Amino acid sequence: MNKRRHPLSVLYSVCIFLFLYAPIVVLIVFSFNESKSRGRWAGFSLRWYQELFENSTLMDALKTTLAVALISSAVAVIIGTAAALGLHYSKKRIRNLLMNITSLPMINADIVTGISLLLLFTFIGLKLGFVSLLLAHITFNIPYVILSVMPKLTQLDNNTFEAALDLGATPLQAFFKVMLPEISPGIVTGFILAFTMSIDDFVISFFTTGADVNTLSVAIYSMTRRGIKPEINALSTLMFITVLTLLIVVNVRSGRDVQKREKERR
Amino acid sequence: MKKIKLALIPYSAYALIFIVAPILLIVLYSFQDTSGALTLDNYLRFFDFSDPVYLKVLWRSIRLAFISTVICLILGYPMAYILSKLSPRVRGTIAFLFILPMWMNFLLRTYSWMSLLERTGLINTFIGWINGFLPAAVQIPSLNIMYTQWAVVLGNVYNFLPFMILPIYTVLIKIDQSLIEAAQDLGASRGRVFRKVIFPLSLPGVVSGISMTFMPAVTTFVISRLLGGGQNALIGDTIENQFKVVGDWGFGSAMSVVLMILILITMGFIRRFESDKTGRSVLM
């Protein structure tokens, strides 16, 4: 194979990365800008970081975002894991039908999903606010959990579960002691995916939340019309660095696990 | 084993209420006027060929999404190819660098382009600075695409390029190297190996990438709102407007139904060409 790296391909990669990272760099750099302008540099300052923590709208939005993400992914994990179990053991026809329904929110445009849920909440007379927001997030999170857990169930050896039952375990004991440890990586992946999707969502939240409850995305969107305050740059810089640190920690740890497993195999 | 099936009941109920019922409600609303009486007017208004305002919006959405997808493919394929040629250790890290920007709120990333693209924005400041060194005859023209269709295309390409690169990359690294070596041994030139072996084998990734960029580009309303200004409204903007400003939910629902049918047809079409294990797993 040709291992030589062509200078053109290096140049090309640099250009693509420049394109992808330019707006992010701009955002981070201008979060340290002394002035309010988003085009002119007026000197280094931590002013916007300080104002961020004093900004109750943004802080409330951050709390709502985290609360909705945590609760909705936890509920989605419970319903989704149970659903994956049930689907795994049900007849093929029922499974295919339900899987098709499950994939609908993933295929459909977010705007259509958001509007359909808005219509539902209006139809049943649920006031738009935290509860409707939460229900909407649970709805689009469950499919990610199901799709993460299902493959783990297919890999599972069915005999171990039956062996546990034969040895006198109750079905619940057998589930928690035998099955759950095996499928837990899928559940964790599902939870992380759901959490990420929930934090990242704008469109569905935009249609299903009320006037007094804001997620960060919704708060940012309403700000874009009046001009974004630099505090939000500070906040997203902090979030970006948090996520980056978390990802690096997770990657390093899982890399170490892989190495350990390989050593044990030898 | 019977009891395990009972675990399906809560989800079946949930799916019925929160997935099936809402879609049926959209269809129901699309056949109602503002007073709630049944009518076909919403659809007639959308498909009004004598005054095709809304058909033009739909056409603009499809056209801009198509242009964005083509640009993503042209930019993304070489990138995925370069990436796939790197050693496995390095390419994992670099692939990660493509996903990383997606962890920053996409509204903010898109908004950040406004600071770059504005008439007095950073790009034009930079061009002006370079022009200071150049003789008057070879001045670089300033970039004025803000609030045009091209700003929308740029926003789409920027937001969805990783969705094109990653599926293609995933397929490329799975190609059996012995096939490429066999072609080379049989005397094929490098270009011929690419055309006859590598490219055809990477097509499932290309199809995945196309569906993952085209779909969100057709239905977006944020990118067009932020970068396109008012005059480049897409179908997403028009639907949003009916629900949030005008309050004509019937008409908004009818447009949503049209959009939904369009998506389902396209997805059905794409799934025929798509192998099941492509880039989706990387992103989700």
Side-chain angles (χ1 to χ4, degrees):
Chain A
M1 238 179 77
N2 183 3
K3 278 278 168 202
R4 173 176 58 100
R5 240 167 264 164
H6 201 281
L8 261 180
S9 70
V10 175
L11 182 72
Y12 187 75
S13 313
V14 169
C15 286
I16 296 278
F17 274 107
L18 217 65
F19 174 60
L20 286 178
Y21 279 85
I24 296 180
V25 172
V26 167
L27 218 126
I28 292 178
V29 168
F30 277 86
S31 77
F32 296 107
N33 192 6
E34 169 66 39
S35 94
K36 221 181 155 100
S37 156
R38 47 195 175 89
R40 243 190 7 265
W41 181 253
F44 181 88
S45 143
L46 288 175
R47 177 181 157 198
W48 304 116
Y49 286 85
Q50 193 189 343
E51 289 194 13
L52 163 68
F53 290 104
E54 288 157 9
N55 184 331
S56 60
T57 316
L58 280 182
M59 283 292 131
D60 285 347
L62 177 64
K63 277 179 214 155
T64 311
T65 306
L66 290 176
V68 167
L70 267 178
I71 303 173
S72 71
S73 345
V75 175
V77 158
I78 295 169
I79 302 181
T81 308
L85 272 174
L87 283 170
H88 185 67
Y89 289 104
S90 57
K91 289 196 195 81
K92 202 173 173 202
R93 238 190 36 222
I94 296 175
R95 183 163 63 219
N96 285 348
L97 175 70
L98 263 169
M99 284 308 275
N100 277 334
I101 293 176
T102 303
S103 64
L104 267 178
M106 299 175 89
I107 297 175
N108 223 334
D110 280 354
I111 189 171
V112 177
T113 307
I115 284 167
S116 71
L117 286 166
L118 167 67
L119 293 181
L120 175 79
F121 296 142
T122 316
F123 189 77
I124 59 177
L126 177 69
K127 192 174 168 291
L128 295 181
F130 190 79
V131 176
S132 60
L133 190 63
L134 197 59
L135 287 169
H137 279 238
I138 294 171
T139 306
F140 72 75
N141 277 340
I142 292 178
Y144 293 102
V145 177
I146 294 183
L147 290 181
S148 312
V149 176
M150 284 292 268
K152 293 285 160 198
L153 282 169
T154 350
Q155 288 165 15
L156 199 71
D157 185 355
N158 275 327
N159 295 326
T160 54
F161 187 70
E162 275 163 28
L165 292 180
D166 288 345
L167 290 168
T170 65
L172 268 184
Q173 271 177 330
F175 171 72
F176 280 107
K177 297 261 175 191
V178 179
M179 207 182 255
L180 194 60
E182 289 289 318
I183 61 171
S184 61
I187 298 178
V188 173
T189 312
F191 180 84
I192 294 174
L193 277 176
F195 189 80
T196 318
M197 290 296 160
S198 177
I199 289 213
D200 210 40
D201 174 69
F202 161 67
V203 176
I204 295 172
S205 306
F206 181 63
F207 285 104
T208 53
T209 190
D212 45 346
V213 182
N214 272 339
T215 66
L216 270 182
S217 297
V218 176
I220 294 168
Y221 185 72
S222 54
M223 274 186 179
T224 55
R225 318 197 132 173
R226 287 172 275 127
I228 281 197
K229 298 204 181 91
E231 289 110 295
I232 201 82
N233 295 355
L235 178 62
S236 45
T237 305
L238 289 179
M239 286 175 71
F240 188 68
I241 291 169
T242 314
V243 169
L244 185 61
T245 325
L246 277 176
L247 285 174
I248 290 172
V249 169
V250 169
N251 271 353
V252 168
R253 272 191 51 191
S254 66
R256 223 183 275 153
D257 283 351
V258 170
Q259 276 175 1
K260 219 200 274 169
R261 243 176 280 148
E262 274 171 6
K263 247 180 223 161
E264 277 163 10
R265 215 170 282 162
R266 275 181 230 142
Chain B
M1 287 295 144
K2 272 261 161 64
K3 277 195 180 150
I4 291 183
K5 284 187 203 165
L6 295 179
L8 201 54
I9 292 174
Y11 176 62
S12 306
Y14 199 94
L16 208 62
I17 300 172
F18 290 96
I19 300 177
V20 179
I23 289 177
L24 294 179
L25 273 175
I26 287 201
V27 178
L28 176 70
Y29 269 82
S30 73
F31 288 106
Q32 287 182 346
D33 61 19
T34 36
S35 67
L38 287 181
T39 175
L40 272 174
D41 283 356
N42 296 321
Y43 288 99
L44 294 177
R45 191 171 151 202
F46 187 82
F47 291 104
D48 183 356
F49 291 100
S50 58
D51 182 23
V53 189
Y54 298 103
L55 283 173
K56 273 185 186 157
V57 173
L58 180 64
W59 173 239
R60 182 191 298 140
S61 313
I62 294 175
R63 188 167 49 89
L64 291 186
F66 180 78
I67 296 172
S68 311
T69 308
V70 171
I71 296 177
C72 277
L73 183 60
I74 294 171
L75 289 177
Y77 197 103
M79 193 61 242
Y81 186 77
I82 293 170
L83 203 57
S84 73
K85 289 284 175 200
L86 298 172
S87 71
R89 279 185 67 96
V90 185
R91 73 187 178 206
T93 314
I94 303 205
F96 170 73
L97 288 178
F98 281 108
I99 307 177
L100 192 61
M102 291 196 255
W103 287 84
M104 190 169 248
N105 188 294
F106 95 104
L107 287 164
L108 282 172
R109 282 184 287 132
T110 309
Y111 188 76
S112 191
W113 272 107
M114 293 170 76
S115 337
L116 284 159
L117 293 176
E118 274 166 341
R119 205 173 286 274
T120 56
L122 294 167
I123 290 179
N124 280 339
T125 310
F126 182 69
I127 290 176
W129 180 74
I130 290 190
N131 278 343
F133 296 100
L134 297 173
V138 282
Q139 295 278 302
I140 305 170
S142 65
L143 186 72
N144 285 316
I145 64 166
M146 197 61 203
Y147 303 125
T148 67
Q149 314 188 1
W150 293 108
V152 179
V153 169
L154 186 135
N156 282 341
V157 171
Y158 173 72
N159 274 299
F160 307 128
L161 184 60
F163 294 98
M164 181 65 87
I165 295 176
L166 291 168
I168 299 176
Y169 160 73
T170 317
V171 173
L172 280 176
I173 56 172
K174 281 193 193 132
I175 290 179
D176 188 350
Q177 289 301 320
S178 55
L179 290 174
I180 296 168
E181 283 159 23
Q184 284 165 345
D185 290 347
L186 290 167
S189 67
R190 283 178 63 172
R192 205 177 150 99
V193 171
F194 181 78
R195 262 181 294 125
K196 294 280 178 182
V197 182
I198 300 177
F199 187 69
L201 285 173
S202 69
L203 274 179
V206 172
V207 173
S208 264
I210 290 176
S211 75
M212 287 166 82
T213 45
F214 184 75
M215 291 296 173
V218 171
T219 61
T220 181
F221 72 90
V222 180
I223 297 170
S224 45
R225 189 66 56 81
L226 291 182
L227 300 176
Q231 60 275 47
N232 292 299
L234 303 182
I235 186 81
D237 299 80
T238 318
I239 293 175
E240 187 260 356
N241 199 40
Q242 292 300 324
F243 277 89
K244 289 275 182 174
V245 183
V246 182
D248 189 345
W249 288 22
F251 186 50
S253 298
M255 286 193 282
S256 305
V257 170
V258 172
L259 193 60
M260 192 157 62
I261 291 171
L262 204 75
I263 291 169
L264 289 179
I265 292 173
T266 319
M267 280 311 283
F269 191 66
I270 280 170
R271 289 229 159 146
R272 290 168 153 235
F273 294 96
E274 191 181 39
S275 76
D276 48 353
K277 289 217 165 59
T278 43
R280 263 164 230 276
S281 53
V282 182
L283 291 161
M284 287 176 174

